Amino acid sequence: MRLRGSENLDLHPMLDDIQTMSDTQPLRHPEKARKPDQISPRKPAWIRVKAPTSEEAAEVRRLMRDKNLHTVCEEAACPNIGECWKHKHATFMILGDTCTRACAFCNVKTGNPKGALDQAEPDNLADSVKAMGLKHVVITSVDRDDLADGGASQFVACIERIRALTPDCTIEVLTPDFRDKGDGPEVIARAKPDVFNHNLETVPRLYPGIRPGARYFESLRLLQRVRQTDPSIFTKSGIMVGLGETRVEVLQVMDDMRSAGVDFMTIGQYLQPTLKHVAVDRFVTPEEFDDYRAVAQAKGFLMVAATPLTRSSHHADRDFEALRAERQRRSHVGGTLT
């Protein structure tokens, strides 16, 4: 990846480099290797990021390597990596770096880990949280359809180790769907993370092409199951736009989330990680994001984040404090918890 100091960058050159790296490593996405290149429109001026060149970012990278940990920041080629790592914010990705799904939008390596599981991962994660002095940590994972419980027990172990080592740190989980894996969502909810996030990713019409291994209404039901298991846990979900969805479809997703009791909705622009991934249909304007945010707030979410560069875990620590304050405010004025 080209590094250009800390000045603002057009994301397009950064993704050109990411595409080159990914396309020269065919084992990263073997199911996409023979697909024709998918050409996206040129990125607009409003999408700007900073390269991860700060000393703080280098320190985070060293810590991840020393502890044999992975971050979704790197694996998914997140555009906010420079900003987050500068402030020592990182979304830890557990259960390894290889996903058993092959979603059309995702840059995480795909394959079959064949049951491999790092038993030291929960301890290494907890040690890193303490070393970084985190007040709020986000834990996500790859999909692990090869594991009997989909990796739910590893989430629980990570939560328990962090609680033991840094009891004042709040914990947010961003989980896969645990499809056909029993009571994984309930098992994790009983471990009492502060925030339980599961992304719907897109509108139901686009699932077959964008998220073929998942089912929209099962993901929606997962969020509802968490709410039923422990109503005190904040629930969160997000979608990408720019994949070909319509405004009416996005508004319907908002209604579906509210019906499932989701507290916090995120909406961000889809960005193509490599030429073998699905192309961007269009770039949604900042004004449209403002409109989506206003509509979602009117529908009753405790919190809404909607900008081109919004990602599920971006500003998660700051957002958690605002989320907690808003629930408390509404409870004082006679509103509901959700």
Side-chain angles (χ1 to χ4, degrees):
M1 183 181 294
R2 274 192 301 272
L3 301 181
R4 308 181 186 179
S6 61
E7 74 273 20
N8 284 341
L9 300 178
D10 182 340
L11 194 57
H12 195 276
M14 286 189 69
L15 288 189
D16 284 344
D17 291 338
I18 292 169
Q19 289 166 353
T20 299
M21 290 189 294
S22 298
D23 294 343
T24 57
Q25 299 176 27
L27 293 180
R28 187 172 179 84
H29 301 292
E31 79 290 344
K32 297 179 176 68
R34 297 186 179 181
K35 288 188 174 182
D37 288 354
Q38 306 292 313
I39 307 302
S40 293
R42 182 75 184 182
K43 294 173 182 62
W46 60 76
I47 296 182
R48 300 278 175 174
V49 296
K50 291 183 178 181
T53 58
S54 67
E55 291 182 7
E56 294 86 354
E59 183 180 344
V60 171
R61 184 179 286 106
R62 282 193 299 270
L63 183 62
M64 297 304 107
R65 301 297 179 267
D66 290 346
K67 294 294 186 180
N68 193 32
L69 295 171
H70 304 280
T71 66
V72 75
C73 321
E74 291 183 287
E75 299 297 334
C78 179
N80 300 314
I81 185 172
E83 176 192 351
C84 290
W85 281 24
K86 180 175 175 58
H87 294 94
K88 293 189 178 181
H89 299 163
T91 298
F92 295 94
M93 191 173 78
I94 65 171
L95 297 169
D97 65 350
T98 303
C99 185
T100 54
R101 303 282 176 91
C103 294
F105 64 87
C106 184
N107 196 48
V108 174
K109 184 168 64 175
T110 54
N112 184 358
K114 299 181 180 179
L117 194 63
D118 181 1
Q119 300 297 335
E121 189 174 56
D123 286 320
N124 287 335
L125 174 55
D127 289 343
S128 298
V129 169
K130 184 175 182 179
M132 293 173 70
L134 297 184
K135 300 298 184 185
H136 185 82
V137 61
V138 183
I139 309 166
T140 189
S141 80
V142 291
D143 273 283
R144 289 296 302 270
D145 296 311
D146 59 312
L147 298 175
D149 69 348
S153 59
Q154 192 82 332
F155 270 97
V156 172
C158 289
I159 293 169
E160 290 176 345
R161 302 292 201 286
I162 293 169
R163 295 276 191 231
L165 207 57
T166 52
D168 293 332
C169 181
T170 51
I171 300 173
E172 179 171 334
V173 295
L174 169 54
T175 77
D177 61 9
F178 302 108
R179 187 180 173 206
D180 301 324
K181 299 295 180 182
D183 62 349
E186 288 84 358
V187 167
I188 297 172
R190 286 193 289 270
K192 298 190 77 67
D194 297 278
V195 181
F196 196 119
N197 185 2
H198 173 67
N199 286 330
L200 296 183
E201 305 292 9
T202 189
V203 302
R205 176 177 58 84
L206 298 180
Y207 260 55
I210 302 301
R211 200 176 175 221
R215 300 293 180 269
Y216 176 82
F217 287 104
E218 288 191 23
S219 284
L220 196 66
R221 174 62 179 149
L222 180 154
L223 293 160
Q224 188 176 45
R225 288 162 63 186
V226 171
R227 169 67 66 193
Q228 291 170 343
T229 302
D230 188 343
S232 71
I233 296 173
F234 291 98
T235 51
K236 180 177 176 181
S237 188
I239 62 168
M240 302 168 288
V241 291
L243 285 164
E245 72 291 328
T246 67
R247 185 176 185 276
V248 170
E249 288 175 317
V250 172
L251 300 191
Q252 182 61 58
V253 170
M254 292 179 188
D255 288 338
D256 292 343
M257 285 187 186
R258 290 301 302 132
S259 294
V262 172
D263 297 303
F264 185 0
M265 181 181 190
T266 62
I267 309 173
Q269 171 69 52
Y270 166 65
L271 297 173
Q272 184 186 30
T274 79
L275 292 174
K276 301 301 181 183
H277 288 75
V278 65
V280 175
D281 178 73
R282 74 182 186 96
F283 288 97
V284 178
T285 67
E287 292 75 18
E288 290 175 276
F289 278 103
D290 289 343
D291 173 67
Y292 280 142
R293 182 172 57 254
V295 172
Q297 288 172 335
K299 289 180 181 292
F301 289 96
L302 289 180
M303 192 165 180
V304 182
T307 71
L309 290 178
T310 290
R311 297 296 182 266
S312 293
S313 306
H314 195 208
H315 299 150
D317 54 346
R318 183 189 69 190
D319 288 344
F320 175 71
E321 293 300 327
L323 193 61
R324 185 159 53 183
E326 179 61 14
R327 173 180 282 182
Q328 186 175 23
R329 187 192 70 80
R330 293 194 190 186
S331 68
H332 287 164
V333 297
T336 64
L337 288 178
T338 58

